[in-house]
Amino acid sequence: MDCRNYYSVRMHASALGRHISGAERIVTPDKLDSVARELLSRALAKDRSPDHIVVTIDDLSGLIHRSLTALDVTTLNSSADPAAARADAARLLQATGVGADAVEKAFSLLSRGASPSGGNMRGAMIMDARTGERLEPDQERGVRASRFDWTGEAGEKMRTLLNEQGLVHERTYEALALASKIADSPGFISELCWSDDPEYTAGYVSSRLTGYVRFPCLKKEGDARGGRAVFIDRKKFDAAQFLSFMEEEAVLIERTGQCRPDTDVDHFLQRIGSDVRTGS
Ligand code: PML
């Protein structure tokens, strides 16, 4: 793939200094104009009117880039009860090699607002998968993954696969792309995420072992706390390299994975051949 022919287009909208919406794409020059307008319309379509909208366009010439396959998607429809779904998500994280204390710490921080001032973080927490120690240089902001997108063909195919499973929300499509980039980061083990939108209760655990495992209900409706925790093998972690990959390196997702539901976490773990005894 040759990134000399691609541009990154990013939109960020805010009101009174608070984030309202954001989106980004990687496009060829012929799509630059229409995609910039599309993202601007999206910023203006929110219920709250932004007082500040920034659309940033960067030429990706010469930036290191790679093409990826999206993570497989599994929806676990087992529980509408957030506490039970969180227990299942915790078991999956432990199956990927995250220590019990680190899992507990991530749930606790995301539930109460992981930034030192007690709010949600715009970016992800980075945690040592063994100890739960936080490794991100700026704990207020976290680390934001940027410069990723589907190719036209893969994006269309992925939308069809998700729609066939009833997953029609743009958020799922975008979160899957983001999680697929993060899963390629140096030292990555797994990720836990749920939305901070009070009306959007879904979240996921992702890893190379499990793929993107989606839980429709990881929090109660009305709860505005959420975010991302990325668990890292500390021995392989280099902060500068990690930040450069997440924020600078351009990634295009060229191939889709599989997309299917599963009944419960036990069946899922059996299916992926995990020999980890979880919950004990
Ligand atoms: C999903 O729908 O698959 C879960 C998406 C979590 C989105 C988190 C976010 O708001 O970015």
Side-chain angles (χ1 to χ4, degrees), residues 171-172 175 178 193-197 200 202-204 212 214 228:
R171 228 178 251 266
T172 309
L178 179 56
C193 165
W194 69 83
S195 176
D196 57 12
D197 179 338
Y200 199 84
Y204 64 86
Y212 181 101
R214 186 174 189 275
R228 297 190 149 76

Side-chain angles (χ1 to χ4, degrees), residues 237-270:
F237 181 71
D238 174 282
Q241 187 196 17
F242 186 81
L243 284 177
S244 154
F245 172 79
M246 292 279 270
E247 295 176 350
E248 301 293 329
E249 196 169 322
V251 158
L252 268 177
I253 304 170
E254 288 195 308
R255 295 164 296 276
T256 59
Q258 295 185 344
C259 197
R260 53 188 162 176
D262 209 330
T263 48
D264 59 64
V265 80
D266 290 304
H267 185 262
F268 174 70
L269 282 170
Q270 228 171 24

Side-chain angles (χ1 to χ4, degrees), residues 8 24 30 32 42 112-113 119 122 162-163 170 191 204:
S8 154
E24 68 170 87
D30 53 310
L32 209 44
R42 191 161 153 178
R112 64 167 197 252
R122 294 267 336 270
L162 291 169
N163 289 356
E170 192 67 9
E191 182 194 347
Y204 64 86

Side-chain angles (χ1 to χ4, degrees), residues 57-171:
I57 298 175
D58 291 307
D59 182 355
L60 294 178
S61 306
L63 289 173
I64 306 168
H65 57 273
R66 38 184 121 176
S67 76
L68 293 183
T69 301
L71 294 168
D72 290 337
V73 179
T74 304
T75 295
L76 280 185
N77 287 315
S78 50
S79 186
D81 167 29
R86 286 186 184 193
D88 285 348
R91 289 181 63 197
L92 282 189
L93 288 167
Q94 285 185 254
T96 67
V98 182
D101 289 350
V103 170
E104 201 184 309
K105 189 170 169 188
F107 273 105
S108 155
L109 282 165
L110 291 178
S111 305
R112 64 167 197 252
S115 77
S117 58
N120 293 323
M121 293 163 69
R122 294 267 336 270
M125 283 191 284
I126 311 301
M127 295 181 112
D128 179 329
R130 202 173 55 81
T131 63
E133 186 188 338
R134 286 174 69 170
L135 304 173
E136 72 274 19
D138 179 345
Q139 292 195 356
E140 199 60 44
R141 174 180 179 272
V143 177
R144 285 181 61 73
S146 190
R147 295 188 171 159
F148 58 89
D149 201 355
W150 304 91
T151 59
E153 197 180 324
E156 249 173 60
K157 191 168 165 205
M158 198 67 239
R159 278 191 202 282
T160 305
L161 289 171
L162 291 169
N163 289 356
E164 281 168 6
Q165 301 294 321
L167 302 174
V168 294
H169 205 293
E170 192 67 9
R171 228 178 251 266

